[in-house]
Amino acid sequence: MKHEITVTINGESVTAEVDSRLLLVHFIRENLDLTGTHIGCDTSNCGACTILLDGKSVKSCTYLAVRADGAEITTIEGVAAEGTNHPLQQAFHDQHGLHCGFCTPGMIMRSLDLLKNNPDPSEEEIRWGISGNLCRCTGYNNIVKSVQQAAKEMQNQSETV
Amino acid sequence: MFKCKTSAEVGGMGHSVKRKEDARFLHGKGNYVDDVKLPGMLTMVMVRSPYAYAKIKSIKKDKALAIPGVLAVITGEDLAQYNLHWMPTLLSDTQMVLPTDTVMHQSQEVCAVIATDRYVAVDGAEAVEVDYEPMQAIVDPYKALDEDAPLLRPDKEGQKDNQIYHWERGDRAKTDAVIANADVVVKERIYLPRIHVASIETCGCVASYDKDTQKLLVYLTTQAPHAIRTVVALVAGHVGLSEEKIRIISPDIGGGFGGKVPVYPAYVVAIAASFLIGKPVKWIEDRSENLVNGFARDYHMDCELAATKDGKIQAFKVSTLADHGYTDSSANPSKYPTGMFSICTGSYDYEHAFAELDAVYTNKAPGGVAYRCSFRVTEAVHAIERMVDKLAAKIDKDPALLRLENFIKKEQFPYDSPLGWSYDSGDYEATLKKAMDMVGYDDYKKEQAEKRKEGKLMGIGLCTFTEVVGAGPSKDFDILGIAMFDSAEIRVHPTGKAMARFGTKSQGQGHETTYAQILAEELGIPYTDIEIEEGDTDTAPYGLGTYASRSTPTAGAAAAIAARKLKDKGKKIAAHLLEVSEEDIEWEVGKYFVKGAPEKSKTIQDVAFAAYTNIPPGMEPGFEATHYYDPPNLTFPNGAYICVVEVEQETGAIDVKRFVAIDDCGNIINPMIVEGQVHGGLTQGIAPAMYEGIEYDDEGNVLNGTLMDYLVPTAVESPHWETGHTITPSPHHPLGAKGVAESPTVGAPPAIANAIIDALSPLGIEHLDIPITPAKVWEAIQAHT
Amino acid sequence: MIPANFTYHKATSVKDAIALSQTHGEEAKYMSGGHSLLPMMKLRFATPEHIIDISKIEGLSYIKEEGDLLKIGALTTQTEMEHSALIRENYPIFSDAIKLTADPSVRNVGTIGGNIAHGDAANDQPALMLAMRATVIAEGTDGQKSIPIDEFFHGFYMTALEPSDVLVEIQVPKTKKGSGGAYHKVERKVGDYATAGVAVHVELDDSGVCREIGIGLTNVSAVPMRLDRGEELLRGKKITDDLIEQVGTMAGEDCEPSSDLRGSEAYKRSIVNTITKRMLNKALERAQQ
């Protein structure tokens, strides 16, 4: 059965017909061609598919597209204006927080939510905060450092605003 | 320590420049195989066997084909018409592409459903009706060798039992004699279980055959695109897929670690499907397919280490039973069926060693690939490093002291090991002492003594390993006969910017940065002015790919030598421009100048421009060079790792308090990238040490085929790693580099195992196999109290 | 992995949900957060023909104290619980549990009601509910009903809820002077289902005597389990180290774990024993604050 849904994706409103069973991650990747959101497992363990749904990090492989009707979605492609870096993107670059890059979009989307709720997290809070996102390359040390750098930068930005 | 020759702007060796490849990944613009979308593309899903061993009585396609959008169901019988139902493995065995009558392991590919989209294909796969007649599977490799064990591979001519091969290296008689007469002998059966690399991106491909041009294009998750092209041509040449018409593109790869070296059956089926249908066919493995098909390790090693009563090591013997599943699809050099396992004599100076191995068939998935380690080096290092600790415990000697007293000394390099390797360089004593200083070894020893008095379990574990990587010299190393050289091709454009292509393929290692830095070091062209490309067989020079820490040792060396060829040509051009003879030209980073008159100079960019615009008479125009590097020897990265743990006796809970890793990977090109590689390798070291292992039941069913139960460590399980370096440059590598990415995966598991066992030693526990989980520790404590 | 085909229905109210369920009968399943149900559907262990999405129903997401009760709307997400100052300060047992449940992104979607209604002894909330003697408020064709938690869990994935019943609210006793609770589970890695977990809720009178006690166990029985024998022993007594030791032993004896990938039966019994003692101590400490 088809359902018409309207979502705001990275600031743009999109209306589409979707099947009941279409997973949000496939809607994003295949219907909208936003392939920065990845698929790494089927059981909501790896977090490669993490997006922001109404500002909260959500594993889009375990969410029906039809349920996103009316929602505001942000994917990695919408984190910063083209040609610019969000402080998290800059920090992952500066601190070598990525190797193969496959988990990176999910890590960044998750970290956005983490820093929104906890702008100055400790190392332990960061580690627990990203525990639903697996990385097989980096050993996490530099991801933690990236989130710490971004936290500092985002706090500086909010103070100067 | 290494001193940088170039400025930060040029960014040659030793500079921690930021990675050039990051931008696309950070903005969601990476291009992985599942991101590839071609016009008219179809999707393929595999039907897989629920049984470990069964006859296939029938496969009924009707219900699947009745689903709108399902276009084809491809079976082994269908492929048999083209003689494509079997394929050779790299080690002269044979593997089913699709079965015609028997399935040999759970989750084996049974048939393929091709449909217009992913969802329909999955429905189609659910609708295929397969009638199986299950048989009693052989799961235990020891039982596979029983006289009455059923013959698993009657299809192989001359195969009388389930043994695949016997291998041995060293002098059995002398080693046995030394062991028989030694003051002290320690023995242990050590098992390294099946594990899976579980890169976050699974495997997949998009195969696209054009019936008009007869060209085949395959986007593939492969660490070795050229080798795959040759394999495809060899396997499918008879149906008209000829090598010049095959193009393999390995796009961005979401982690490889060895899991993306093999040719998986579904790749071949996707290619066949595209060939038959004439449309692009995409296959993307799901996570369970990924975890259950393919593996690393599965070595049962009977070890004996002999020493004098004060701990001078005299001989090491190891007899291994290797479970290969139903076919030997190990990815090893042809002459090395057990990989580099004979590095098992370790970092110690003694004369006698013997290693033997029997490989057997069972009803398990084939694999035998790496898990972020050079061919079977992890197994070898685990064996010797556990045994050295066991010896230390037996003679009640500090394991650090025992190691220091037995190390090969730095003046003994190059060192000929008892099993035939020539270690290039190292300073094992300095490396271990650095690790001991960094962790505060003596203080921890005191703390441990205090804690033991209070009945608390604290352990300190060491591992001082020697790796062997960078395969390899063509006289010994080949894959399907192709020598294991690697290649670099540099083109410097008229404006002084450059593009270079390589036969390797990065999967996250940062080649686009590291190779650019090597060229910046050699040519003085800023690394930011150099684009690096890999992975497209139509454009890149032939090479054997990236695995076994071979990229820097082989392709990195090729880059340096190709650059030196250019530099030589540039010297002639500079002499022409400066109107002096070539002998009067000298080089310093980025420019040629006249001997004794440094104000008269031409930059590398001036020279590049002249190579296209103002060519010396008689000289070939252009500024390009290619080199295929055949390494004279392997490289031997080494390190000293120390782990401190506390174990809670009541629950078995293990707390890793500290982990210090000191690596000697020779000269370092980018310290930031090297450190990152070490961090990642350490987490892939703690993973098998404490969390991961593929579990089978007696029927051959995999019990933990999802990431819910196959326990890949998160940021919480992964400790805060502490790292450092010693440097002994490789004397035979043009840059003095050795390779690094796998050392930590090799060195961490024994360090962690040794620490936990050391903690438990007051209870009389002498050995535990990895993964050492709290549950396993608890059981051991119960058995000893 | 892709779920089999089904038809999606969005319920706009509890009444609407019940009506949809009535229409589609046994082939319909409610979905709130979906993080238990959808993975089962992707693995095709569950193939409902109709999914009734109750997550969009307004007014079922709240945390409030009323009278002697803490009332939690069934659609309150685990994250909302985690971020609630009221929960953090007065009901730390929830914070203990939620930190160990799945991961933050799953908790952003997973609801407290769903965690209970799923009827899975491996979920963390059922043990808490048993310990706190919660009441489940459900609405069905006959209106609202209160189900004491001891009558709620019937079997493996089976509860007292009729197919069309919607779990709308959880009620637990309001925290008061002398009450305290604690939860811990042993897990193989962060976010894993429990190897074994224990929830303890204790109420002391002014003299420090245990007026009421609840002990719930996670994932060591087919149905979420109450440690009756331990509760009986402690009720009406001053809780001493010796009694705690005895209750730990009882917990290890009375639980019904089976050997699996998480460990042997004996290991799990031992873990239950240890955590029971630790949580009793922690709950007592909190009750005495």
Side-chain angles (χ1 to χ4, degrees):
Chain A
M1 188 176 156
K2 296 274 187 191
H3 309 267
E4 187 181 282
I5 62 168
T6 300
V7 298
T8 306
I9 183 123
N10 299 330
E12 249 178 77
S13 178
V14 176
T15 298
E17 285 231 312
V18 299
D19 265 334
S20 290
R21 64 170 169 166
L22 183 68
L23 299 171
L24 182 56
V25 70
H26 289 137
F27 177 69
I28 292 169
R29 287 180 50 80
E30 294 178 11
N31 300 39
L32 304 178
D33 283 329
L34 294 168
T35 55
T37 302
H38 299 142
I39 302 171
C41 75
D42 309 288
T43 47
S44 76
N45 291 93
C46 82
C49 65
T50 307
I51 52 135
L52 293 186
L53 186 83
D54 292 328
K56 297 190 198 80
S57 66
V58 165
K59 295 182 169 181
S60 62
C61 77
T62 310
Y63 203 86
L64 299 172
V66 59
R67 302 182 83 189
D69 186 25
E72 199 163 307
I73 294 170
T74 310
T75 67
I76 188 67
E77 291 90 343
V79 164
E82 221 161 332
T84 68
N85 276 342
H86 183 277
L88 269 164
Q89 290 167 316
Q90 186 62 43
F92 271 71
H93 179 58
D94 290 346
Q95 301 293 342
H96 190 28
L98 68 154
H99 292 189
C100 80
F102 200 77
C103 77
T104 312
M107 278 291 177
I108 288 177
M109 301 319 287
R110 173 58 211 142
S111 301
L112 276 168
D113 186 359
L114 169 67
L115 293 179
K116 192 181 71 191
N117 288 299
N118 185 357
D120 185 21
S122 66
E123 169 162 356
E124 203 198 333
E125 285 168 338
I126 293 170
R127 287 180 180 272
W128 281 82
I130 59 169
S131 65
N133 293 68
L134 298 175
C135 169
R136 204 58 162 161
C137 298
T138 65
Y140 302 106
N141 266 32
N142 289 347
I143 292 180
V144 171
K145 276 161 74 181
S146 303
V147 178
Q148 284 170 329
Q149 178 187 317
K152 232 177 244 162
E153 176 60 26
M154 287 162 75
Q155 274 186 305
N156 288 344
Q157 282 184 4
S158 68
E159 276 161 25
T160 54
V161 168
Chain B
M1 291 302 276
F2 186 83
K3 201 167 165 293
C4 295
K5 291 197 206 77
T6 57
S7 66
E9 290 69 40
V10 172
M13 279 176 70
H15 290 290
S16 284
V17 305
K18 307 291 174 240
R19 296 202 321 171
K20 289 160 61 73
E21 46 269 82
D22 284 356
R24 65 179 186 272
F25 299 129
L26 289 166
H27 292 90
K29 290 178 179 167
N31 184 38
Y32 302 91
V33 168
D34 198 15
D35 303 339
V36 172
K37 208 172 185 179
L38 300 179
M41 189 169 76
L42 306 173
T43 291
M44 180 177 91
V45 165
M46 305 307 294
V47 174
R48 292 179 181 272
S49 171
Y51 299 106
Y53 191 28
K55 290 269 174 234
I56 296 174
K57 292 165 74 180
S58 67
I59 300 175
K60 291 200 182 114
K61 304 178 179 181
D62 313 2
K63 282 190 184 157
L65 290 171
I67 296 172
V70 173
L71 303 179
V73 177
I74 297 175
T75 64
E77 295 291 349
D78 298 327
L79 293 184
Q81 294 172 35
Y82 302 88
N83 196 26
L84 282 173
H85 54 313
W86 285 86
M87 62 180 183
T89 70
L90 295 181
L91 289 175
S92 318
D93 208 330
T94 52
Q95 179 170 5
M96 288 180 231
V97 176
L98 288 174
T100 51
D101 51 19
T102 310
V103 283
M104 299 294 290
H105 68 91
Q106 192 190 45
S107 193
Q108 185 182 333
E109 302 80 3
V110 172
C111 61
V113 174
I114 316 290
T116 47
D117 87 49
R118 216 183 275 262
Y119 284 61
V120 175
V122 172
D123 289 343
E126 289 281 317
V128 172
E129 295 170 297
V130 186
D131 189 8
Y132 299 97
E133 184 185 313
M135 297 185 280
Q136 180 56 51
I138 300 181
V139 182
D140 180 342
Y142 288 94
K143 288 188 181 147
L145 292 177
D146 286 351
E147 287 208 355
D148 58 350
L151 184 64
L152 289 180
R153 295 295 305 272
D155 58 290
K156 290 188 74 180
E157 211 174 310
Q159 188 77 36
K160 299 269 187 302
D161 55 25
N162 292 320
Q163 186 183 52
I164 309 172
Y165 61 81
H166 174 83
W167 165 94
E168 58 181 61
R169 186 72 64 98
D171 190 327
R172 183 197 297 266
K174 275 189 189 153
T175 305
D176 280 344
V178 174
I179 289 171
N181 295 311
D183 300 342
V184 188
V185 178
V186 282
K187 296 184 188 187
E188 192 60 64
R189 174 171 289 177
I190 298 172
Y191 176 52
L192 289 193
R194 283 193 164 219
I195 50 176
H196 197 282
V197 297
S199 50
I200 305 299
E201 180 201 35
T202 60
C203 296
C205 65
V206 178
S208 179
Y209 181 73
D210 185 317
K211 288 190 173 183
D212 293 323
T213 62
Q214 297 180 355
K215 281 190 176 178
L216 173 71
L217 165 64
V218 190
Y219 292 89
L220 192 66
T221 48
T222 180
Q223 300 174 220
H226 282 99
I228 297 283
R229 185 185 72 195
T230 303
V231 169
V232 171
L234 292 173
V235 171
H238 64 279
V239 295
L241 287 174
S242 167
E243 195 165 0
E244 83 283 8
K245 301 265 193 193
I246 302 169
R247 179 181 185 187
I248 308 290
I249 296 180
S250 181
D252 287 325
I253 299 292
F257 315 115
K260 289 170 183 166
V261 171
V263 178
Y264 291 106
Y267 294 163
V268 181
V269 182
I271 291 169
S274 180
F275 183 76
L276 295 172
I277 299 170
K279 286 195 171 177
V281 174
K282 178 187 273 190
W283 171 70
I284 302 293
E285 193 177 47
D286 71 30
R287 176 55 66 188
S288 292
E289 292 178 290
N290 176 258
L291 289 173
V292 176
N293 291 279
F295 74 94
R297 322 263 198 269
D298 217 340
Y299 266 25
H300 303 256
M301 304 179 291
D302 285 312
C303 305
E304 290 178 81
L305 185 68
T308 63
K309 60 182 185 306
D310 28 331
K312 179 76 194 86
I313 298 172
Q314 293 172 304
F316 183 53
K317 181 180 177 184
V318 50
S319 303
T320 299
L321 186 70
D323 182 346
H324 278 287
Y326 93 89
T327 180
D328 183 5
S329 71
S330 302
N332 284 329
S334 307
K335 298 187 190 76
Y336 292 82
T338 65
M340 273 68 145
F341 185 73
S342 52
I343 195 74
C344 63
T345 54
S347 307
Y348 315 102
D349 180 23
Y350 55 96
E351 221 177 307
H352 303 288
F354 178 71
E356 64 180 336
L357 182 144
D358 291 287
V360 299
Y361 291 126
T362 60
N363 289 112
K364 292 185 195 150
V369 299
Y371 174 109
R372 198 171 181 151
C373 79
S374 185
F375 314 106
R376 301 288 186 183
V377 173
T378 318
E379 290 87 328
V381 167
H382 205 91
I384 185 70
E385 288 301 305
R386 271 299 302 130
M387 295 311 289
V388 166
D389 253 45
K390 195 158 178 178
L391 173 64
K394 173 109 175 178
I395 61 171
D396 198 20
K397 190 167 209 159
D398 183 309
L401 183 61
L402 182 79
R403 284 174 167 85
L404 287 166
E405 287 174 358
N406 280 284
F407 275 151
I408 298 160
K409 303 206 173 359
K410 70 175 176 193
E411 55 275 13
Q412 285 176 279
F413 290 94
Y415 175 84
D416 291 326
S417 83
L419 295 181
W421 300 104
S422 178
Y423 293 10
D424 57 352
S425 67
D427 186 346
Y428 297 156
E429 183 181 328
T431 305
L432 175 55
K433 285 190 167 161
K434 189 166 183 182
M436 291 166 73
D437 285 348
M438 192 163 155
V439 79
Y441 187 78
D442 295 337
D443 290 343
Y444 275 117
K445 276 284 179 191
K446 282 182 204 135
E447 187 184 331
Q448 183 183 43
E450 290 302 315
K451 288 223 160 110
R452 282 185 176 170
K453 278 186 214 152
E454 301 163 22
K456 288 190 179 145
L457 303 175
M458 174 182 163
I460 307 163
L462 287 82
C463 173
T464 50
F465 64 90
T466 296
E467 260 229 295
V468 48
V469 306
S474 59
K475 64 181 164 38
D476 287 325
F477 291 91
D478 68 270
I479 284 180
L480 292 175
I482 299 163
M484 293 182 73
F485 58 82
D486 226 293
S487 58
E489 176 202 279
I490 313 166
R491 300 176 179 183
V492 183
H493 308 317
T495 54
K497 319 286 177 181
M499 141 82 68
R501 293 184 167 125
F502 294 83
T504 49
K505 175 61 204 173
S506 184
Q507 310 125 40
Q509 294 91 335
H511 289 179
E512 288 168 48
T513 306
T514 302
Y515 289 154
Q517 286 186 268
I518 292 173
L519 297 176
E521 175 82 5
E522 293 292 332
L523 297 173
I525 298 173
Y527 77 103
T528 45
D529 288 352
I530 304 169
E531 283 295 305
I532 302 296
E533 265 189 27
E534 299 175 293
D536 182 343
T537 57
D538 267 12
T539 55
Y542 203 102
L544 267 283
T546 293
Y547 42 85
S549 292
R550 67 187 297 279
S551 297
T552 296
T554 60
I561 293 177
R564 288 169 196 178
K565 289 181 185 171
L566 270 184
K567 228 159 36 181
D568 288 346
K569 178 170 185 177
K571 195 174 186 184
K572 292 187 174 68
I573 299 171
H576 168 69
L577 295 176
L578 293 164
E579 297 175 333
V580 294
S581 76
E582 199 186 329
E583 293 72 47
D584 291 330
I585 294 290
E586 297 213 324
W587 165 263
E588 70 172 40
V589 180
K591 72 178 184 205
Y592 300 92
F593 62 94
V594 178
K595 213 179 278 178
E599 73 285 358
K600 293 174 81 178
S601 69
K602 290 288 170 189
T603 65
I604 186 81
Q605 289 82 4
D606 297 336
V607 166
F609 190 67
Y612 295 89
T613 58
N614 181 8
I615 308 141
M619 182 184 277
E620 188 183 354
F623 208 44
E624 300 186 358
T626 302
H627 188 76
Y628 287 74
Y629 182 76
D630 182 4
N633 188 7
L634 295 131
T635 58
F636 297 78
N638 55 83
Y641 292 178
I642 302 180
C643 176
V644 180
V645 302
E646 285 178 11
V647 176
E648 189 179 68
Q649 184 157 349
E650 195 174 356
T651 60
I654 302 157
D655 185 7
V656 178
K657 309 295 277 185
R658 296 280 303 279
F659 195 105
V660 164
I662 305 295
D663 277 281
D664 174 5
C665 58
N667 286 335
I668 292 173
I669 296 155
N670 183 321
M672 175 193 81
I673 288 178
V674 166
E675 191 192 34
Q677 288 296 315
V678 172
H679 290 159
L682 290 171
T683 294
Q684 277 192 314
I686 198 173
M690 291 177 61
Y691 298 96
E692 296 176 12
I694 300 172
E695 305 268 354
Y696 285 84
D697 69 10
D698 294 342
E699 308 294 313
N701 301 304
V702 174
L703 299 174
N704 54 347
T706 69
L707 288 182
M708 296 172 83
D709 285 314
Y710 188 81
L711 304 175
V712 172
T714 74
V716 176
E717 288 76 38
S718 185
H720 182 99
W721 306 111
E722 301 168 67
T723 59
H725 288 280
T726 52
I727 294 176
T728 59
S730 172
H732 64 76
H733 186 275
L735 303 166
K738 294 181 179 175
V740 72
E742 301 168 328
S743 292
T745 318
V746 167
I752 294 165
N754 286 342
I756 298 170
I757 295 162
D758 182 47
L760 298 172
S761 62
L763 306 174
I765 293 166
E766 293 182 7
H767 176 73
L768 289 173
D769 282 328
I770 60 169
I772 307 181
T773 61
K776 192 180 275 184
V777 167
W778 184 89
E779 300 288 349
I781 290 171
Q782 303 318 301
H784 285 82
T785 47
Chain C
M1 284 182 196
I2 310 289
N5 262 313
F6 61 85
T7 303
Y8 170 88
H9 309 269
K10 182 168 105 176
T12 52
S13 66
V14 175
K15 299 258 179 306
D16 184 32
I18 296 167
L20 282 165
S21 172
Q22 290 286 100
T23 309
H24 299 293
E26 287 187 1
E27 299 305 330
K29 280 285 270 179
Y30 290 131
M31 179 179 278
S32 62
H35 273 59
S36 297
L37 182 55
L38 196 47
M40 289 172 75
M41 290 166 63
K42 287 169 77 178
L43 294 161
R44 303 210 174 187
F45 293 158
T47 52
E49 288 176 16
H50 297 272
I51 285 292
I52 302 164
D53 181 2
I54 57 170
S55 71
K56 313 290 178 186
I57 296 173
E58 300 269 330
L60 287 185
S61 176
Y62 52 84
I63 304 163
K64 60 187 179 196
E65 289 181 327
E66 269 181 18
D68 290 338
L69 296 172
L70 171 73
K71 297 181 173 179
I72 306 168
L75 292 181
T76 308
T77 64
Q78 305 244 11
T79 298
E80 284 161 350
M81 293 284 287
E82 197 174 3
H83 292 169
S84 153
L86 177 66
I87 294 292
R88 215 169 32 235
E89 281 155 28
N90 293 346
Y91 301 88
I93 188 172
F94 281 111
S95 304
D96 293 346
I98 288 167
K99 186 186 179 190
L100 300 175
T101 300
D103 64 70
S105 297
V106 171
R107 298 199 292 265
N108 275 339
V109 181
T111 63
I112 223 73
N115 198 283
I116 296 162
H118 196 51
D120 186 352
N123 280 351
D124 296 308
Q125 289 300 326
L128 273 69
M129 296 299 126
L130 287 167
M132 288 187 278
R133 295 198 148 65
T135 302
V136 174
I137 310 297
E139 195 170 325
T141 45
D142 304 329
Q144 283 213 348
K145 53 188 163 186
S146 298
I147 309 169
I149 198 69
D150 283 300
E151 294 165 21
F152 187 77
F153 298 110
H154 285 189
F156 196 56
Y157 295 136
M158 289 186 346
T159 67
L161 296 174
E162 299 291 332
S164 4
D165 286 353
V166 178
L167 195 164
V168 293
E169 187 178 275
I170 303 295
Q171 300 176 346
V172 298
K174 190 170 143 183
T175 193
K176 45 186 171 273
K177 190 171 166 292
S179 75
Y183 180 77
H184 185 65
K185 69 175 176 188
V186 166
E187 48 186 1
R188 295 172 299 176
K189 71 170 204 177
V190 168
D192 188 21
Y193 286 106
T195 300
V198 181
V200 171
H201 182 80
V202 62
E203 290 177 29
L204 307 178
D205 67 16
D206 289 342
S207 61
V209 167
C210 170
R211 190 163 45 204
E212 187 49 282
I213 173 95
I215 304 171
L217 309 180
T218 302
N219 213 11
V220 285
S221 51
V223 182
M225 179 178 166
R226 175 185 296 290
L227 184 65
D228 290 313
R229 204 154 61 104
E231 293 177 0
E232 274 162 35
L233 182 69
L234 296 177
R235 201 174 287 123
K237 296 200 186 80
K238 211 162 186 131
I239 299 175
T240 60
D241 287 350
D242 181 49
L243 285 173
I244 288 173
E245 195 60 42
Q246 289 183 46
V247 173
T249 306
M250 283 175 180
E253 287 168 1
D254 292 1
C255 65
E256 299 156 359
S258 38
S259 298
D260 58 19
L261 290 171
R262 292 185 168 77
S264 68
E265 182 191 324
Y267 166 66
K268 291 181 180 183
R269 287 187 187 280
S270 166
I271 291 292
V272 169
N273 178 336
T274 301
I275 316 178
T276 300
K277 291 185 288 197
R278 289 179 185 174
M279 291 307 103
L280 276 166
N281 277 313
K282 195 167 176 186
L284 274 177
E285 212 175 279
R286 283 173 174 169
Q288 286 157 353
Q289 269 166 10

